[in-house]
Amino acid sequence: MRITNGIIASCILGMISAADQHEEMRCKARPGCHLAKCEPGPLSPSLNVNEYPVTCVRTSAQDWEEYKELKSEMRIMRTDLTSYASRISSLENENKKTTAEMEALKTKLLKSEQSNKALLKELNALGIKTNDLESHLAEPNTALLRSCEDVQLESALARNDSGCVFKLDIPEVGITNVFCDVTDDGGNWTVFQRRMNGDVNFSRGWDDYVKGFGDLQGDHWLGLEALHQMTKTGNMEMKIKMITKNGVYWVAKYSNFRIGPGSNKYRLHVSGYSGNSTSGDGFSSHDNHQFSTKDADHDGSPGNCASLLEAGWWYHICYHSNLNGNFHKTDDKGVRWGQDLLQFSEMKLRKRS
């Protein structure tokens, strides 16, 4: 119920009227008492005729004392009623303010709920897109390509800033996942070797080097049979990117690169060097040599270089390049270009333009 000043005033007047009626009833209960306008007299010497327009003038001193007591109580009552009315008015204003604040909060809550619904809808839509993207990234491109030259630049860059894993249909090998570099030096590169963090063990046997192993996004070896099938028709070039332990960036490029068949132990054919290494050409000395592993020694030397250097490579003598060496070693067993230790190497091939 809403309390107004009019209601408060009515309450005060009603209480005063009730007090007067009570006085009249008490007066009538005493013999000789009558109601009249108050006039100065021996029983009420200090009364002001304008102060109380209607009073009870009594015939005895006892009645007069009761009368004064009643008037005092009425003054106190009027003071209390005025205080109550002020407090009620203050509470009414506070109630109005609280009601307005509640309405404002309801409005904000409604807007917040609407915003939350819209945000939830956007999050759901984003979740669907994220799931689609994760599924797309989890699996290599399902399109069957013959080489990295068939990779669309936009398709690769949508998944990585330099390249990504694609499925290639390599003759005699079948569907094989490879990392295609689409940006370096004109792109179209098939990465077949990378050393970058030492997470993959390269001291492996013959079968592993023939089939390939490792993480295509990190350290890996594509496989000798795949290399043979991709290069057997000739007209291929090869590039090696290197970073030395001192942080120097080197490039070695070969205009002719071919790997022989398994029946010839995947013999290396390489020539046409150009590059910026201060150690010069560290790979051409391996030309025309067969591949060796710790369990298949084809290096032609008295010992087994692959076993000694903990790697698989086209060894002739043990101390030329050894890019498949032990990443964590700092001696001759480490990843080397000539006698220089490397912290990164990447070998890749493409059709010569």
Side-chain angles (χ1 to χ4, degrees), residues 222-241:
L222 181 59
L224 290 168
E225 184 60 29
L227 287 177
H228 164 63
Q229 296 295 338
M230 296 175 74
T231 63
K232 65 182 180 180
T233 58
N235 195 34
M236 303 294 291
E237 62 180 345
M238 193 267 288
K239 182 176 182 179
I240 305 175
K241 293 173 64 175

Side-chain angles (χ1 to χ4, degrees), residues 127-194:
I128 294 173
K129 291 181 180 179
T130 301
N131 290 335
D132 291 343
L133 181 59
E134 288 178 347
S135 299
H136 184 59
L137 291 176
E139 295 294 334
N141 194 340
T142 57
L144 298 182
L145 310 173
R146 298 305 297 261
S147 73
C148 287
E149 295 179 8
D150 298 328
V151 172
Q152 296 294 322
L153 178 63
E154 295 78 7
S155 176
L157 294 184
R159 303 169 67 183
N160 192 288
D161 60 1
S162 63
C164 58
V165 178
F166 284 84
K167 288 183 180 294
L168 296 189
D169 186 8
I170 302 176
E172 306 301 326
V173 176
I175 299 173
T176 305
N177 295 331
V178 303
F179 189 96
C180 295
D181 185 333
V182 298
T183 58
D184 181 35
D185 191 16
N188 297 331
W189 295 102
T190 298
V191 177
F192 66 88
Q193 187 260 22
R194 185 188 296 121

Side-chain angles (χ1 to χ4, degrees), residues 269-322:
H269 302 277
V270 62
S271 61
Y273 166 79
S274 62
N276 66 342
S277 166
T278 56
S279 297
D281 180 4
F283 193 57
S284 292
S285 60
H286 298 277
D287 178 48
N288 203 37
H289 292 290
Q290 296 176 326
F291 200 86
S292 292
T293 61
K294 62 183 180 180
D295 60 349
D297 182 10
H298 307 126
D299 59 32
S301 66
N304 184 341
C305 295
S307 179
L308 176 65
L309 300 180
E310 303 178 3
W313 200 242
W314 295 278
Y315 295 111
H316 170 47
I317 58 176
C318 299
Y319 302 105
H320 286 292
S321 66
N322 187 34

Side-chain angles (χ1 to χ4, degrees), residues 46-64:
S46 63
L47 285 177
N48 186 331
V49 296
N50 295 321
E51 185 177 0
Y52 303 105
V54 179
T55 63
C56 178
V57 180
R58 307 183 187 287
T59 57
S60 65
Q62 180 182 357
D63 291 337
W64 175 248

